[in-house]
């Protein structure tokens, strides 16, 4: 699942070519790189460098959440996360999963596993694009928790 950034509008590609999401840069809590919202917007932390592999990762990760929300697989409310028709209680930045309260964005949530996979792929593709024709290109991408 890929998403192409055209100004502040994200357009799906491939099987998701009909999906369009709006992206907005804003101040997010410390350690939060991005957020997918039920209103069709994706927030990206304003500290994520524009055009960076980290931006590609965040946009793809949150875009995956958006696509799954649109398909009805995933839903968020203030009190619950619903994944494939199963509700998980949510409060104070944590989600109750298999009897344990976990931080939002935990990589082992099933909806996060998928989004991290998509984000990692996008990051690698962006790094490859930036490294094309360059030797020893290093990236200083700050690891931030995606939600």
């Amino acid at each position: 699942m890929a998403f192409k950034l055209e100004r502040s509008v994200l357009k799906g590609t491939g099987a998701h070519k009909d999906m369009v999401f709006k992206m907005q840069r804003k101040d997010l809590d410390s350690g939060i790189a991005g957020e997918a919202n039920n209103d069709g917007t994706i927030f990206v932390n304003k500290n994520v460098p524009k055009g960076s592999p980290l931006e590609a990762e965040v946009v793809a990760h949150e875009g995956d959440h958006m696509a799954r929300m649109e398909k009805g697989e995933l839903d968020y409310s203030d009190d619950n996360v619903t994944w494939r028709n199963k509700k998980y209680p949510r409060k104070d930045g944590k989600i109750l999963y298999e009897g344990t309260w976990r931080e939002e964005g935990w990589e082992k949530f099933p909806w996060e596993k998928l989004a991290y996979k998509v984000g990692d792929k996008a990051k690698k593709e962006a790094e490859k694009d930036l490294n094309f024709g360059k030797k020893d290109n290093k990236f200083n991408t700050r690891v931030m928790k995606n939600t």
Side-chain angles (χ1 to χ4, degrees):
M1 185 177 319
F3 295 88
K4 195 164 69 173
L5 184 62
E6 294 181 4
R7 297 186 188 160
S8 63
V9 176
L10 299 172
K11 293 186 176 189
T13 60
H16 305 286
K17 66 183 177 188
D18 295 330
M19 296 182 174
V20 177
F21 310 116
K22 293 181 182 177
M23 184 188 85
Q24 179 182 351
R25 290 185 162 276
K26 65 180 283 185
D27 282 320
L28 297 176
D29 290 341
S30 177
I32 305 295
E35 295 178 353
N37 303 296
N38 287 334
D39 66 359
T41 61
I42 293 174
F43 294 155
V44 175
N45 190 313
K46 71 175 191 169
N47 295 321
V48 171
K50 290 181 181 179
S52 70
L54 180 57
E55 181 186 53
E57 177 184 12
V58 171
V59 167
H61 179 110
E62 301 305 335
D64 185 74
H65 289 325
M66 293 296 300
R68 293 180 190 287
M69 283 191 272
E70 188 168 301
K71 288 170 40 179
E73 283 187 302
L74 178 64
D75 189 39
Y76 291 91
S77 71
D78 290 340
D79 301 321
N80 295 292
V81 171
T82 304
W83 171 247
R84 296 185 176 164
N85 297 317
K86 184 169 182 182
K87 284 190 178 189
Y88 298 92
R90 178 185 194 201
K91 70 176 181 178
D92 300 326
K94 295 185 178 184
I95 298 166
L96 183 61
Y97 184 75
E98 296 182 346
T100 304
W101 286 96
R102 304 282 184 181
E103 292 288 327
E104 291 182 354
W106 184 52
E107 292 182 12
K108 293 185 180 180
F109 290 134
W111 58 90
E112 291 293 353
K113 282 182 186 179
L114 296 167
Y116 277 108
K117 184 176 179 180
V118 171
D120 289 345
K121 181 179 178 186
K123 181 179 178 182
K124 287 177 185 169
E125 288 174 2
E127 288 172 343
K128 181 180 162 188
D129 289 346
L130 288 173
N131 278 320
F132 183 75
K134 297 179 183 177
K135 288 185 178 182
D136 299 322
N137 196 353
K138 302 287 183 202
F139 297 95
N140 182 14
T141 55
R142 190 170 134 209
V143 176
M144 302 173 89
K145 182 176 87 175
N146 292 322
T147 59

